[in-house]
């Protein structure tokens, strides 16, 4: 029987513009022909120092045969101490990516729209496309600041959510508290994605208590080096948190992620020392890049730096770096076609990267 199975798939999902994820090291090694141990993976904003040793040790005894707690009691207690927020204001997800998806499930019906301040993290647009929502793009200005006046003109009755990444991935700048307060006055749901909070030191989490239309997202992928385990969390009004609990899959955060989160938060001081190393390295790399001709780094509050090159050169440099086993992030969009983003690695990784960037720029 010839069923033509695609006829049964939701029509708007048949031709998806997909999210472009980063490849794992072994695939990068294969693509570049460089040994896996010699690859410089600076394309995923991952932590070059890895996870906490205490977390790695704790994983040895994780009770893998037992389902995790659906109400995440230990996780939420531990995050409550870390964030200084009551447990009822907290819910964890399999990465903040899962929480973004859950927010769409909770708020978005087919035909609704969301506000995206591009260029920004591609996940908001991706989830909107899956949900059948349209994306109202309010382009950032030349310094990548959000334009709230333009937003106020574009917003309409079908607008449900305003997404802001702060610091913004990939541009590195933050959204001020005043700007967030103006966004909250629209009465729409405002999601402030603070995935890089530990590197920026800026948060609007305290506003969650007074504003029921605010969700702050955080993750342990970056500062705590747990990207591979998928663990993030949301801070919001208990009403919203309970609705998220109602619709999430019961065991959404796995036992290994739970065990690693608890141990990581116990080992917070050591992890924050690594964050300080990364911040120092970010500042050092920024200063070096600033002195190189024909490349313009943008100041960053994250663990990455966005760089602008002359017309047509960014992709060439990105490809040349990749051929030598050095991977930075290129964005194939009109606005960012002359840019690439470098994740901050160790000092010796920076030195190698800079040597190659200078060499290739000189030859162009
Ligand atoms: C702004 C932003 N939000 C969320 C995420 C996803 O984080 P997680 O690994 O917790 O899903 C990322 C990852 O790069 C990010 O840059």
């Amino acid at each position: 029987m010839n069923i033509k199975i695609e006829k049964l798939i939701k029509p708007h999902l048949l031709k998806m513009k997909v999210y472009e994820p980063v490849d794992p090291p072994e695939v990068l090694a294969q693509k570049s022909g460089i040994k896996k141990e010699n690859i410089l993976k600076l394309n995923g904003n991952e932590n070059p120092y890895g996870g906490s040793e205490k977390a790695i040790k704790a994983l040895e005894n994780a009770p893998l045969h037992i389902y995790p707690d659906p109400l995440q009691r230990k996780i939420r207690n531990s995050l409550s101490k870390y964030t200084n927020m009551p447990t009822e204001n907290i819910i964890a997800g399999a990465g903040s990516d899962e929480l973004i998806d859950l927010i769409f499930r909770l708020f978005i019906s087919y035909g609704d729209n969301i506000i995206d301040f591009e260029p920004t993290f591609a996940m908001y647009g991706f989830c909107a496309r899956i949900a059948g929502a349209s994306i109202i793009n309010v382009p950032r200005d030349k310094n990548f600041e959000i334009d709230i006046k333009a937003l106020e003109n574009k917003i309409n009755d079908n607008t449900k959510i305003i997404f802001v990444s702060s610091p913004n991935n990939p541009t590195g700048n933050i959204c001020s508290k005043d700007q967030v307060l103006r966004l909250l006055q629209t009465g729409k749901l405002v999601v402030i994605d603070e995935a890089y909070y530990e590197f920026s030191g800026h948060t609007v989490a305290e506003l969650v208590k007074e504003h029921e239309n605010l969700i702050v997202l955080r993750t342990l992928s970056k500062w705590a080096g747990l990207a591979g385990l998928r663990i993030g969390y949301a801070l919001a009004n208990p009403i919203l948190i309970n609705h998220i609990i109602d619709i999430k899959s019961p065991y959404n955060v796995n036992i290994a992620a739970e065990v690693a989160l608890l141990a990581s938060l116990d080992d917070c001081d050591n992890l924050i020392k690594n964050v300080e190393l990364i911040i120092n390295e970010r500042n050092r790399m920024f200063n070096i890049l600033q002195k190189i001709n024909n490349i313009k780094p943008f100041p960053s509050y994250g663990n990455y730096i966005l760089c602008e090159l002359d017309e047509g050169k960014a992709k060439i440099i990105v490809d040349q770096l990749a051929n030598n086993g050095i991977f930075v992030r290129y964005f194939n969009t009109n606005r960012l076609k002359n840019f690439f983003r470098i994740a901050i690695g160790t000092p010796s990784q920076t030195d190698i990267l800079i040597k190659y960037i200078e060499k290739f720029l000189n030859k162009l």
Side-chain angles (χ1 to χ4, degrees):
M1 189 167 53
N2 187 356
I3 303 176
K4 294 227 164 43
I5 193 65
E6 283 192 320
K7 276 194 165 173
L8 301 181
I9 294 177
K10 294 178 188 174
H12 75 281
L13 297 183
L14 280 171
K15 286 217 167 72
M16 273 294 290
K17 183 177 164 223
V18 298
Y19 181 89
E20 284 176 31
V22 289
D23 286 324
E26 61 277 11
V27 176
L28 297 178
Q30 208 179 22
K31 281 184 179 170
S32 61
I34 307 278
K35 280 197 192 135
K36 190 173 136 190
E37 53 275 23
N38 294 334
I39 293 278
L40 284 199
K41 190 176 182 310
L42 303 174
N43 59 356
N45 296 348
E46 289 143 338
N47 192 318
Y49 300 105
S52 143
E53 293 199 358
K54 279 194 183 162
I56 294 164
K57 192 101 202 79
L59 283 168
E60 285 174 15
N61 298 318
L64 300 182
H65 59 299
I66 303 289
Y67 283 107
D69 175 6
L71 288 179
Q72 308 169 349
R73 292 167 185 86
K74 285 190 203 157
I75 294 180
R76 293 163 81 198
N77 278 336
S78 177
L79 283 170
S80 168
K81 286 191 201 110
Y82 178 68
T83 58
N84 268 328
M85 299 281 287
T87 50
E88 61 264 29
N89 289 95
I90 305 170
I91 189 69
S96 35
D97 280 353
E98 187 199 16
L99 293 160
I100 295 169
D101 184 47
L102 286 168
I103 292 167
F104 271 88
R105 292 190 197 199
L106 195 56
F107 283 88
I108 298 291
S109 304
Y110 193 88
D112 286 340
N113 69 63
I114 65 145
I115 301 288
D116 218 5
F117 294 103
E118 287 182 17
T120 193
F121 184 44
M123 194 69 191
Y124 318 133
F126 174 64
C127 286
R129 293 192 292 278
I130 293 176
S134 46
I135 303 160
I136 298 186
N137 177 25
V138 183
R140 287 170 178 263
D141 71 13
K142 65 176 192 334
N143 296 318
F144 299 118
E145 292 294 325
I146 62 169
D147 184 345
I148 299 188
K149 271 236 161 70
L151 159 89
E152 284 163 352
N153 291 329
K154 286 191 171 182
I155 217 161
N156 61 40
D157 287 348
N158 291 334
T159 305
K160 287 283 183 68
I161 316 176
I162 300 169
F163 280 97
V164 187
S165 162
S166 179
N168 186 42
N169 175 8
T171 62
N173 55 318
I174 52 168
C175 179
S176 72
K177 187 172 163 187
D178 284 348
Q179 287 174 316
V180 174
L181 286 169
R182 279 184 67 190
L183 295 176
L184 288 167
Q185 274 161 20
T186 61
K188 309 296 182 183
L189 176 70
V190 177
V191 177
I192 304 295
D193 184 344
E194 296 183 352
Y196 302 94
Y197 158 64
E198 283 75 7
F199 302 100
S200 79
H202 286 263
T203 180
V204 290
E206 81 279 2
L207 296 180
V208 156
K209 293 201 178 117
E210 300 132 50
H211 297 270
E212 60 178 326
N213 58 332
L214 174 63
I215 298 181
V216 172
L217 295 179
R218 301 259 187 89
T219 179
L220 277 87
S221 292
K222 314 294 177 179
W223 74 278
L226 294 183
L229 271 180
R230 317 302 302 124
I231 176 97
Y233 60 99
L235 303 171
N237 183 289
I239 300 173
L240 273 183
I241 295 294
N242 286 330
H243 283 295
I244 293 176
I245 290 174
D246 287 348
I247 64 159
K248 77 178 183 65
S249 60
Y251 311 113
N252 63 324
V253 175
N254 69 66
I255 276 283
E258 171 180 324
V259 164
L261 172 136
L262 298 176
S264 298
L265 295 182
D266 259 359
D267 195 20
C268 193
D269 292 348
N270 280 324
L271 288 170
I272 291 296
K273 281 185 199 147
N274 291 344
V275 168
E276 282 160 9
L277 290 177
I278 294 168
I279 293 173
N280 289 341
E281 192 52 22
R282 175 185 75 199
N283 298 339
R284 187 177 83 92
M285 191 198 281
F286 182 81
N287 289 333
I288 298 173
L289 287 166
Q290 248 190 339
K291 290 188 193 120
I292 302 178
N293 287 338
N294 302 322
I295 186 164
K296 179 186 172 194
F298 283 76
S300 172
Y301 286 89
N303 65 343
Y304 51 86
I305 293 178
L306 186 72
C307 298
E308 184 176 12
L309 281 84
D310 293 338
E311 183 66 36
K313 292 189 176 167
K315 178 80 170 78
I316 298 173
I317 299 281
V318 169
D319 288 344
Q320 287 176 329
L321 289 170
N323 290 337
N324 287 274
I326 301 170
F327 294 88
V328 297
R329 188 79 148 125
Y330 182 71
F331 302 93
N332 205 0
T333 64
N334 216 19
R335 179 91 188 258
L336 290 183
K337 65 180 191 297
N338 295 319
F339 295 75
F340 57 75
R341 188 197 68 198
I342 308 168
I344 309 301
T346 61
S348 58
Q349 289 176 330
T350 303
D351 294 342
I352 297 170
L353 171 79
I354 295 290
K355 194 180 84 189
Y356 277 95
I357 287 181
E358 282 186 311
K359 177 174 148 191
F360 295 141
L361 272 176
N362 281 339
K363 283 195 189 149
L364 276 186

